[in-house]
């Protein structure tokens, strides 16, 4: 609640400029999906292909031409997988144009939201790929979209996660997630899974303990064990992160932030965060964990339905 009080003035500034544009998938869209392997299950190599394609666009900071190209790339593949999309455009308090992209299978509100951010930190370097911090989450969500057919899931690709200042603060950063929580009003999802920096070679996922309920932690541990993954690589970190799960968490959503340990690294927010850090296996495991969490949460919802 401490943070929520600080968010409120900002939310007031952001909520007056919502523009919505819903696009249905085109007929026979599946035929556009030729460059990706048509496997029945999540495929880390497909996610790697998406990650490389997104990185090839260059830095994708908010309001840039590359950010718009990224939206077009995401929409093309989401439509090919049969999802409808909506762009939610808004303006940050400093005047920068921003746009979240959502994907859904039906108009009914979905109980489970899977999110990532797709903006990259501004003013890093002309060759900044932001491969893990941005592209990896989008790559996993796109590949999940290919294999997931659940009406109960919505995907959101968030703008404005990065702060304009060098360090994120309570009032600088998380613009897209704050905007989305306000936009939804009382129609919030029951659960949110946020992915951030999920494609690094030999990564250690460090879920922030102070931002994670016992309920979501139990699901996280169950998913890791069901998949036989290492509990030394899929860990709980004894702290809190300012990341895109926080606005949802503070609005009452059960949130889980799957984020790799990054503080103290020599690559974060530097040109070293490039495709050489990314590996298909890492993306694959992140996809499998997310898919397993979706299965667990939705089967629990089905079991408790009236
Ligand atoms: Zn970042």
């Amino acid at each position: 609640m401490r943070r929520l009080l600080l968010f409120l003035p900002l939310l007031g500034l952001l909520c007056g400029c919502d523009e919505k544009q819903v696009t249905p998938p085109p007929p026979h869209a599946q035929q556009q999906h030729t460059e990706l392997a048509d496997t029945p299950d999540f495929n880390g190599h497909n996610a790697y292909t998406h990650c490389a394609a997104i990185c090839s666009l260059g830095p994708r900071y908010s309001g840039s031409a590359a950010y718009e190209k990224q939206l077009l790339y995401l929409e093309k593949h989401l439509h090919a997988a049969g999802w409808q999309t909506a762009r939610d455009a808004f303006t940050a308090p400093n005047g920068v144009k921003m746009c979240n992209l959502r994907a859904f299978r039906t108009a009914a509100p979905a109980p489970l939201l899977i999110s990532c951010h797709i903006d990259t930190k501004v003013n890093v370097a002309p060759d900044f790929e932001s491969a893990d911090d941005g592209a990896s989450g989008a790559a996993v969500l796109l590949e999940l979209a290919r294999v997931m057919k659940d009406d109960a899931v919505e995907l959101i690709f968030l703008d404005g996660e990065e702060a304009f200042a060098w360090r994120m603060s309570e009032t600088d950063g998380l613009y897209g997630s704050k905007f989305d929580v306000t936009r939804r009003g009382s129609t919030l999802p029951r659960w949110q899974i946020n992915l951030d920096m999920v494609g690094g070679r030999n990564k250690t996922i460090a879920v922030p303990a102070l931002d994670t309920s016992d309920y979501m932690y139990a699901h996280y541990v169950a998913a890791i064990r069901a998949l036989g993954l290492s509990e030394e690589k899929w860990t709980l970190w004894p702290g809190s992160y300012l990341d895109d799960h926080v606005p949802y968490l503070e609005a009452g959503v059960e949130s889980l932030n799957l984020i790799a340990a990054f503080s103290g690294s020599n690559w974060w927010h530097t040109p070293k965060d490039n495709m050489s850090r990314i590996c298909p296996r890492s993306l694959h495991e992140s996809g499998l964990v997310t898919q397993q969490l979706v299965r667990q949460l939705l089967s629990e919802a089905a079991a408790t339905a009236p």
Side-chain angles (χ1 to χ4, degrees), residues 250-268:
E250 293 190 333
V253 177
E254 286 280 7
S255 296
L256 182 70
N257 191 26
L258 296 178
I259 182 169
F262 65 97
S263 59
S265 67
N266 67 351
W267 53 267
W268 182 59

Side-chain angles (χ1 to χ4, degrees), residues 117 119-121 128 130 133 161-162 168 196-197 268-269:
H117 80 87
D119 62 308
T120 62
K121 184 103 184 145
F128 182 41
S130 215
D133 189 5
E161 188 263 358
E162 301 289 1
M168 189 181 287
D196 197 358
M197 304 188 231
W268 182 59
H269 288 174

Side-chain angles (χ1 to χ4, degrees), residues 13-29:
L13 285 171
L14 293 178
C15 66
C17 37
D18 183 10
E19 277 176 35
K20 227 181 282 181
Q21 189 185 330
V22 176
T23 312
H28 313 302

Side-chain angles (χ1 to χ4, degrees), residues 201-271:
R201 205 177 297 276
N202 295 321
K203 71 180 181 294
T204 299
I205 291 289
V207 165
L210 296 181
D211 302 340
T212 309
S213 66
D214 290 346
Y215 167 84
M216 284 306 260
Y217 178 64
H219 272 293
Y220 169 65
V221 171
I224 300 312
R225 290 181 181 166
L227 294 166
L229 294 174
S230 164
E231 291 179 44
E232 292 179 2
K233 288 290 183 183
W234 292 81
T235 67
L236 193 66
W237 179 74
S240 174
Y241 292 127
L242 272 178
D243 203 354
D244 281 322
H245 61 301
V246 170
Y248 296 91
L249 187 70
E250 293 190 333
V253 177
E254 286 280 7
S255 296
L256 182 70
N257 191 26
L258 296 178
I259 182 169
F262 65 97
S263 59
S265 67
N266 67 351
W267 53 267
W268 182 59
H269 288 174
T270 81

